[in-house]
Amino acid sequence: MKLKFLLSIFALVVIASCKKEDDPKQPEVTLFAFTIPDSLVFQHSETQLLPVTVQSESDKVFYATFEELPPYAFGHFADDTPIEANQTGNLELDFYQTQAEPGTYIGKVRVSVPNENNAIQYKDIKLVYRPNCMYDFREHVYGQITFVSNGQLQNKTISCTYNLEGELEVSGLTTYDVVLNADCDNQTVTMVPLINNGFYMTGSGQIEGNEIALQIYSDGTLHSNSRIRLQ
């Protein structure tokens, strides 16, 4: 009886020992956190840098990338960006305004440790398309221009486009396309200078409600007064 009892105890010890040896070893988890700005704001098509800062007591190299970007408007072409612990790396993000509507889009940033499936973290990033005030004039189709040389008011059918640099391109107002930059805070515009028939053309103007009043100069002398109108 005593022998049976001892054999039973021995069997339990062997089984427990085997079970312990069969338990798979749990992989180490690299602890880390990362921070990014809450948002990126775009006025027009461009490439911006998103800083990513990784905090960790590990000396490993982390990898950051974009995931789940809104289609058509945003893209990135670089591979994962390596970032050392407690350092900052930059992700490049391209924005294409052609098929985008103003508003806020949501993307994701992923940071991970190579070959560690349990060491992955995500954060949302707000991607804001906020065009400047020239965007409001993109559908204007009426213009007026008075040349100083004859003083006659001319009505024009024009075409306005908010271009990839955030400028207003106006065609049909005069014999050449006019490109306007805006100081939206001060409600003023400046024409991109150009050469026309050997003359150096410049311009400046004011935003007046839903109209733009523009003065064009030829070699510094007033050449014409014009208006870009909604109707």
Side-chain angles (χ1 to χ4, degrees):
M1 188 74 172
K2 185 176 181 180
L3 179 60
K4 287 183 178 181
F5 177 76
L6 292 174
L7 289 174
S8 299
I9 295 296
F10 178 75
L12 289 172
V13 171
V14 171
I15 292 171
S17 176
C18 291
K19 184 175 181 182
K20 185 175 182 180
E21 291 178 0
D22 291 340
D23 285 345
K25 184 179 179 181
Q26 295 298 318
E28 292 185 10
V29 177
T30 301
L31 300 177
F32 72 95
F34 75 94
T35 56
I36 58 175
D38 291 334
S39 62
L40 288 179
V41 179
F42 299 84
Q43 281 196 0
H44 51 78
S45 295
E46 62 177 322
T47 298
Q48 288 198 31
L49 298 179
L50 177 73
V52 180
T53 302
V54 178
Q55 301 92 19
S56 177
E57 295 183 357
S58 168
D59 59 357
K60 295 181 179 180
V61 176
F62 300 81
Y63 284 84
T65 189
F66 287 105
E67 283 197 357
E68 299 182 23
L69 290 174
Y72 308 117
F74 298 91
H76 69 107
F77 301 99
D79 294 330
D80 289 354
T81 298
I83 304 174
E84 295 183 4
N86 305 308
Q87 300 295 321
T88 298
N90 291 310
L91 300 183
E92 287 191 1
L93 183 63
D94 300 313
F95 171 62
Y96 314 99
Q97 71 186 40
T98 306
Q99 299 186 54
E101 294 292 332
T104 300
Y105 302 81
I106 302 297
K108 283 186 181 296
V109 174
R110 177 173 70 96
V111 175
S112 61
V113 180
N115 303 317
E116 292 188 26
N117 293 331
N118 57 349
I120 302 175
Q121 293 189 30
Y122 299 88
K123 284 186 184 295
D124 287 345
I125 175 74
K126 294 178 182 178
L127 306 172
V128 183
Y129 177 30
R130 187 183 299 152
N132 64 47
C133 57
M134 290 289 89
Y135 184 87
D136 297 333
F137 294 91
R138 72 196 184 284
E139 295 179 352
H140 282 42
V141 294
Y142 297 101
Q144 293 181 337
I145 189 166
T146 302
F147 293 97
V148 173
S149 59
N150 58 27
Q152 294 181 354
L153 173 68
Q154 299 180 36
N155 292 308
K156 298 280 189 173
T157 298
I158 63 174
S159 173
C160 296
T161 303
Y162 184 76
N163 71 16
L164 300 182
E165 286 75 41
E167 302 163 323
L168 189 71
E169 292 186 10
V170 183
S171 60
L173 183 64
T174 186
T175 56
Y176 46 84
D177 290 346
V178 172
V179 180
L180 301 177
N181 286 304
D183 181 337
C184 297
D185 292 335
N186 292 315
Q187 294 288 278
T188 59
V189 299
T190 303
M191 185 179 115
V192 176
L194 57 89
I195 302 294
N196 180 61
N197 293 328
F199 295 96
Y200 185 65
M201 312 301 294
T202 59
S204 59
Q206 306 79 41
I207 299 173
E208 300 175 354
N210 63 356
E211 297 185 3
I212 297 176
L214 178 67
Q215 300 83 48
I216 298 177
Y217 299 86
S218 174
D219 287 340
T221 300
L222 183 63
H223 177 67
S224 62
N225 291 291
S226 59
R227 261 186 194 274
I228 297 166
R229 305 179 60 192
L230 184 60
Q231 58 184 9

